[in-house]
Amino acid sequence: MTDARFNDPMTHAGIRPSSHPFPDLHGHGLRLRPWDPDSAADVDAWFRGRTDPEFRRWNTPLRITTDLDSARDSLRDAARNSAEGASAPYCVTDATTGAPLGHIGVNVINPVMNSARVGYWVLPEARGRRVATHALSLVARWTLTEPDGMGLHRLELDHAVGHDSSCRIAERCGFRSEGTLRGAMWEAGRHDAYRDMHLHARLAQDPDVDV
């Protein structure tokens, strides 16, 4: 694979930060690699993803991204959490060009219960290409069943009620619907109001799904 960006010191698209303890994941024409907070290209992609109106409609992070500086700070927080083993944030990229397509992260890793929660978003220009479906399939197999994976028993996925596309992606990847959690997530753009969410989960013993 040859791409000028992998040799560009400003993007670091082919360099794994030494503090990232998790492997790259490959498949379905994708490469999932660690985000690099020192890469201008990664910071720009993170900023565009987190400020996209569709993202903000369905997600309200604790720290809202408002500019490139706050995007870089957020990526640095993600890198620290990854180095501590608390989460596994991945930049979803095109395996051929290296172009960032979106994000998928394994969060709230609970080593006592062998469980975690997965979340994702896709950049506007990459939508309609099954990027989220394929990235979720890769992460589910790695966390639950692959010999060199995380060895989890349970991987959860949640989304706001009404986010039908996320519901379809979850079910397509074998995440069974487990019901509605009342007032379990913030309303769009607010930290003082709540809305319901759907909970899905996949267990290690559940059958694999061909996406």
Side-chain angles (χ1 to χ4, degrees), residues 9-49:
M10 292 301 293
T11 66
H12 304 286
I15 300 175
R16 173 199 301 280
S18 59
S19 60
H20 195 280
F22 303 109
D24 289 5
L25 306 178
H26 302 266
H28 304 292
L30 302 177
R31 174 191 175 204
L32 278 55
R33 61 162 176 82
W35 288 93
D36 184 355
D38 294 322
S39 161
D42 277 18
V43 171
D44 177 71
W46 186 262
F47 170 73
R48 291 193 299 112

Side-chain angles (χ1 to χ4, degrees), residues 196-209:
D196 297 348
M197 73 180 188
H198 283 163
L199 177 65
H200 300 255
R202 180 167 156 177
L203 304 182
Q205 65 264 33
D206 288 341
D208 197 4
V209 178

Side-chain angles (χ1 to χ4, degrees), residues 6 22 58 63 71 82 93-95 113 129 131 150 155 179 196:
F6 291 134
F22 303 109
W58 301 114
R63 296 179 61 182
S82 176
T93 70
D94 185 292
M113 294 300 297
R129 296 164 49 184
V131 169
M150 296 181 72
L155 185 61
D196 297 348

Side-chain angles (χ1 to χ4, degrees), residues 120 133 159 163-174 200:
Y120 49 82
T133 298
H159 60 81
H163 196 349
D164 296 338
S165 62
S166 192
C167 201
R168 288 192 296 270
I169 290 168
E171 293 175 346
R172 193 178 296 137
C173 291
H200 300 255

Side-chain angles (χ1 to χ4, degrees), residues 137-203:
S137 175
L138 288 173
V139 165
R141 288 174 182 168
W142 171 62
T143 57
L144 294 170
T145 62
E146 290 188 357
D148 59 347
M150 296 181 72
L152 295 182
H153 162 66
R154 175 181 171 90
L155 185 61
E156 297 181 349
L157 184 158
D158 60 62
H159 60 81
V161 170
H163 196 349
D164 296 338
S165 62
S166 192
C167 201
R168 288 192 296 270
I169 290 168
E171 293 175 346
R172 193 178 296 137
C173 291
F175 286 75
R176 299 181 187 178
S177 176
E178 296 190 344
T180 300
L181 304 184
R182 297 177 299 149
M185 65 185 303
W186 283 316
E187 288 280 4
R190 300 179 62 179
H191 291 150
D192 61 349
Y194 303 87
R195 54 181 162 175
D196 297 348
M197 73 180 188
H198 283 163
L199 177 65
H200 300 255
R202 180 167 156 177
L203 304 182

Side-chain angles (χ1 to χ4, degrees), residues 3 7 23 69 122 132 139 169-170 175 193:
D3 191 307
N7 298 315
D69 287 338
V122 177
V139 165
I169 290 168
F175 286 75

